[in-house]
Every structure is written in C-alpha cells, then in structure tokens.
Amino acid sequence: MSTSPAFAPAAGGDPGMPRHVAIIMDGNGRWAKKRLLPRVAGHRAGVEAVRKVTREARALGIEALTLYAFSSENWRRPDTEVTDLMALLRTFIRSDLDELAAENVRLRVIGDYRRFGTDLTEMIDGAIARTAANSGATLVIALNYGAQAEIAAAARRLAIRTAAGDIGAEAIDEAAIEAELDTAGLPPLDLLIRTSGERRLSNFLLWQAAYAELLFVDTLWPDFDGARLREAIASFAQRERRFGGL
C-alpha cells in the first residue's frame, strides 16, 4: 500500500518541530462577553493575537501557518458582524502587509474569497502578489473556506479532466486529489490547534488533517499568544507519530 505525500512524515529537520501548523481561532465572542464588551472588541483582540502568534511561528521556524479566519458557514452570522470582520481584514492587510513583506513571508489565501466583493478581493490579490516571490515562511489565511466544498471542487476538476481524456480513472489516487486541493504545495499538516475548548474541526482541513496531531485548548483565541504556541509545540513534540505503522 502506497503512502500519499500528504500523509508522509517530513524528511530531515527536527521531528519535534511541526513544519505546518493550522489553528481554528475560536472564542473572540466569548472573550468579549466575559468583559461586557461588544463582539467586535473580541475580534479586534483576536487580530492582535494573530500578530503575536504569526511572529512567534516565524521565530520558531515553522514553515507554514494556516489560520481559519472566516468559514463558508460564517455568512450565517448577523450582517453587522460580517461587516466588522471584513473591516478588520482590510485593516490587517493595510497595517501588517509591510511587515510580512519585510520578513520574507509569503501570503496565501485558501477558500472562495472573491465573494467578499471587488474592493476587498483586489486588496487581497494585491497582498498575495506583493509577497508571491518571498521565500520564507508561508502565512495561509482561510477565507470563505469549507473543507467539504474544497474536496468536492477537487473531485469535479478531476472528473472534468477524466471526461476530457486527459487522465484515466485509475490515475485518481490520494496524490492526485491532494494536488487539486487549495493547500497544494504546502508542507503536510502536522498540528491542528483549536482554541476556546470546543472539540470539533468545523469543516476545516478535513483531508489535510487525516494524520495531523490535534490539540484542543481551553484558552480563548484573544488570549492565545507566543507562549501558548510554544506550549502547543511542546505537546506536539511529546507525541509519537506512526502514520499507520508500528
């Protein structure tokens, strides 16, 4: 039985240091509620947590950091909250893009972010283009992302290629599907963290998480910082990863 490149352990390097970490950033609303603040205050504090964690990830040498910023299900939230989230995304790009570029970080976005409208889409496209040639760490932001839709889209593309005669059905294996996913070209996902005490993946990186280590912490996202990221890495380093072997 062959092993898909997506699930194979990384060759070389420190086995205790994940190459690719993903985070479900949960708990902004509860953080604000505990402080009798509006939900947008929790989202603002969450943006500051993003800054702390991305800087620490770079300092640790993590190759790719994927952050679940806006799911395809988040459109169900009140219009005012969605508007606030989009405004914060604009602010983050304006205020942090220079730092990312200066630090040789490559920005990548997964999900159908074009639903956000022309103005924000152009801003995101510009940020991606500005950092495309960078060769350092990759910061991946999941926007209007849902893993089930991602997998279905990959299947459709492979079906179209099969119907056109470009590939045979026998060529559709794990590696072929992996190549069609939004995360193609990124290191395999090693560690997936969810904050706020919830114990579910919420339609995030379902394929990629097949052999990832999962860590659920009670810390609300605005309180998650560099020290807590290091604690998560220390927990990861203690785990034995066998990828189906002995």
Side-chain angles (χ1 to χ4, degrees):
M1 182 177 64
S2 63
T3 301
S4 165
F7 307 146
D14 180 359
M17 177 58 65
R19 298 176 63 201
H20 184 178
V21 175
I23 306 178
I24 300 173
M25 306 180 294
D26 196 14
N28 291 348
R30 275 167 282 176
W31 184 92
K33 184 176 181 180
K34 285 175 62 177
R35 290 160 176 77
L36 303 179
L37 296 171
R39 287 179 64 86
V40 68
H43 294 312
R44 290 193 188 105
V47 170
E48 185 56 36
V50 168
R51 294 188 178 104
K52 294 175 182 177
V53 170
T54 54
R55 288 167 182 162
E56 186 64 28
R58 294 200 298 272
L60 289 169
I62 294 170
E63 294 179 37
L65 177 67
T66 299
L67 302 177
Y68 204 8
F70 192 92
S71 79
S72 53
E73 288 76 33
N74 284 157
W75 294 106
R76 301 171 186 169
R77 296 187 178 188
D79 290 344
T80 53
E81 183 169 353
V82 172
T83 299
D84 288 338
L85 288 168
M86 296 304 100
L88 285 171
L89 177 59
R90 288 186 179 89
T91 299
F92 178 79
I93 293 173
R94 291 191 185 106
S95 62
D96 289 58
L97 184 58
D98 285 346
E99 177 181 335
L100 295 177
E103 291 291 324
N104 199 28
V105 174
R106 181 168 63 109
L107 179 66
R108 184 163 167 179
V109 176
I110 60 174
D112 183 17
Y113 65 89
R114 298 189 182 282
R115 184 176 171 184
F116 293 148
T118 303
D119 175 61
L120 186 51
T121 294
E122 289 179 351
M123 183 177 288
I124 294 169
D125 285 340
I128 293 170
R130 181 175 172 187
T131 63
N134 290 351
S135 57
T138 300
L139 175 61
V140 185
I141 307 295
L143 294 173
N144 194 27
Y145 172 88
Q148 291 176 328
E150 175 192 29
I151 296 168
R156 282 194 298 273
R157 286 191 289 271
L158 288 169
I160 290 170
R161 292 177 60 194
T162 303
D166 295 336
I167 60 172
E170 69 281 355
I172 302 176
D173 56 10
E174 294 95 329
I177 295 172
E178 168 72 16
E180 293 291 339
L181 297 177
D182 293 355
T183 52
L186 292 174
L189 180 61
D190 293 313
L191 174 63
L192 192 154
I193 304 166
R194 181 169 187 153
T195 61
S196 87
E198 302 293 347
R199 266 62 173 170
R200 57 181 178 270
L201 297 184
S202 296
N203 200 20
F204 183 52
L205 299 181
L206 299 181
W207 175 280
Q208 296 85 344
Y211 278 94
E213 297 296 316
L214 307 181
L215 180 63
F216 302 102
V217 298
D218 292 331
T219 306
L220 299 175
W221 174 247
D223 294 325
F224 197 90
D225 56 14
R228 287 180 168 85
L229 179 62
R230 291 194 299 274
E231 291 173 1
I233 301 303
S235 174
F236 171 86
Q238 294 172 4
R239 301 188 184 187
E240 183 179 357
R241 307 181 75 199
R242 295 187 294 271
F243 299 92
L246 298 178

